[in-house]
Amino acid sequence: MEFRIERSALTDAVSWAARVLPVRSPVPVLGGLLLDTEARGGGGAGGGPLRISGLDYEASARIDVDAEVVRPGKVLVMGRRLLDICKVLPEGPVECAVEGSRFTVSGDGARFGLSALPLDDYPALPPLPRVRGAVDAELFAAAVAEVAVAAGRDDTLPALTGIRLGLDGDTMTLAATDRYRFAVRTLPWKATTPGETADVIVSARRLTEIARSLGRSGLVSVALDAGSAGFEHAGMRTTVRLLDGRLPRHEKLFAMADPAVAVVDRARLAEAVKRVSVVADGDSPVQMAFSRADASVTLRAGYEDDVASQRLPATLEGAEGLTVAFNPGYLADALASFTEPSLRLLLLGAGQRALITDEAGTDVHRHLLMSVKPQLV
């Protein structure tokens, strides 16, 4: 095996594939990346691309990049060590070759050697599930980021650490909850066959990594079967095992009868939450007191002499005044997941649900928070 490639292209490809490698594994070969330059599609020496792949028990990744192949072949090397080498290589062309039991990487006078791992012990990469359709890469990445903030972190409740991926006709729904907040985002997508439906849960951490890494242009193919999800875009292919269980349905939770409705500038509210939270001990709440007469909201946090407050313009309809309070971290996460200039808050009162949407009140992106009872500040 022997090939030549630009250092930046090799580094990017190795970095992308190495994302799925386990930090520690009782099976050493699972820490490896498989580099394959064997001819595919009828190509011969000098014409075949470089394919780099890796996997663990939960996910797999494969990427094809252009390379000048001198001698086709395969080699398995420790992935994180190869990535460390790629990061310190000089810029410019890199020559890679298998020499006996060693894989060598050299460029501009620098030369490294890596031990080759046994290929016979390396498991086959899982196949891509059936492709169900495609979604815009940039829109998908943004939507995943918007709902992932609400996913749980408690591994004893694995379903709550995931993102629901629902397909229904030409609509994709992403949703996540940790029981204290619930984020939902809908976006258009192109189904392979009319009436395509699915309802699965994908690890929020994995899906965030995947969506962020697949690029910001073009279409991402979405593939699903009973046990895994797959995504493919611009020579990159990745699969991830689905989580068992189901998330609670959000429709009834998001239905709010006769709420008070406040509208406030998103950026100013986010900055005010950040500012007053510096005196909030632990998860002590940030209180928001809305006044219809004054067209304002006053944020307060802290206790006794250690307090902070800020007043902002805000409109309120459906009540003369209303005071609610939220976990400051949860509120900050929710506000940061939106990009619109103004937000609409549907409020039922202290200790009850609150729904945040864009100012127009569309159902595209919604974030539900449980308020807590305000305390004297």
Side-chain angles (χ1 to χ4, degrees), residues 239-257:
T239 65
V240 59
R241 187 175 65 84
L242 299 177
L243 299 179
D244 294 329
R246 286 183 174 273
L247 293 187
R249 305 301 294 188
H250 65 270
E251 288 84 356
K252 289 185 178 180
L253 285 173
F254 283 35
M256 303 178 70

Side-chain angles (χ1 to χ4, degrees), residues 142-279:
V144 170
E146 288 165 4
V147 302
V149 296
R153 308 290 188 269
D154 185 356
D155 290 333
T156 64
L157 300 169
L160 296 185
T161 66
I163 291 176
R164 175 188 172 231
L165 195 162
L167 306 177
D168 187 5
D170 58 0
T171 300
M172 174 185 288
T173 300
L174 301 174
T177 181
D178 62 1
R179 296 181 298 176
Y180 305 104
R181 45 189 171 165
F182 207 135
V184 176
R185 176 71 155 85
T186 60
L187 61 160
W189 87 305
K190 298 179 180 179
T192 303
T193 57
E196 192 74 63
T197 61
D199 193 346
V200 300
I201 302 179
V202 184
S203 161
R205 179 179 66 84
R206 294 284 192 185
L207 191 58
T208 299
E209 290 177 350
I210 290 168
R212 188 187 296 140
S213 71
L214 284 176
R216 297 290 179 172
S217 62
L219 294 176
V220 173
S221 295
V222 179
L224 295 172
D225 62 19
S228 64
F231 305 88
E232 190 169 28
H233 174 65
M236 296 174 283
R237 173 185 291 187
T238 185
T239 65
V240 59
R241 187 175 65 84
L242 299 177
L243 299 179
D244 294 329
R246 286 183 174 273
L247 293 187
R249 305 301 294 188
H250 65 270
E251 288 84 356
K252 289 185 178 180
L253 285 173
F254 283 35
M256 303 178 70
D258 300 322
V261 180
V263 176
V264 63
D265 181 275
R266 179 191 58 81
R268 294 186 68 180
L269 180 58
E271 185 63 29
V273 171
K274 179 181 178 182
R275 185 172 292 124
V276 302
S277 294
V278 299
V279 299

Side-chain angles (χ1 to χ4, degrees), residues 17 32 39 45 82-83 101 133 139 164 183 191 194 215 219 221 247-248 262 267 276 283 286 290 292 304 310 334 356:
L82 177 60
L83 179 57
S101 61
L139 192 60
R164 175 188 172 231
L219 294 176
S221 295
L247 293 187
V276 302
D283 291 331
V286 169
F290 292 89
R292 181 175 182 176
E304 298 180 348
Q310 182 168 357
I356 304 175

Side-chain angles (χ1 to χ4, degrees), residues 282-303:
D283 291 331
S284 63
V286 169
Q287 178 177 302
M288 302 172 67
F290 292 89
S291 170
R292 181 175 182 176
D294 295 339
S296 69
V297 57
T298 302
L299 283 76
R300 296 186 177 90
Y303 300 104

Side-chain angles (χ1 to χ4, degrees), residues 55-79:
L55 75 162
D56 69 1
Y57 295 114
E58 303 292 331
S60 72
R62 193 193 81 186
I63 182 169
D64 291 342
V65 291
D66 291 332
E68 180 188 350
V69 179
V70 178
R71 180 163 40 95
K74 297 180 182 180
V75 67
L76 183 68
V77 296
M78 293 304 296

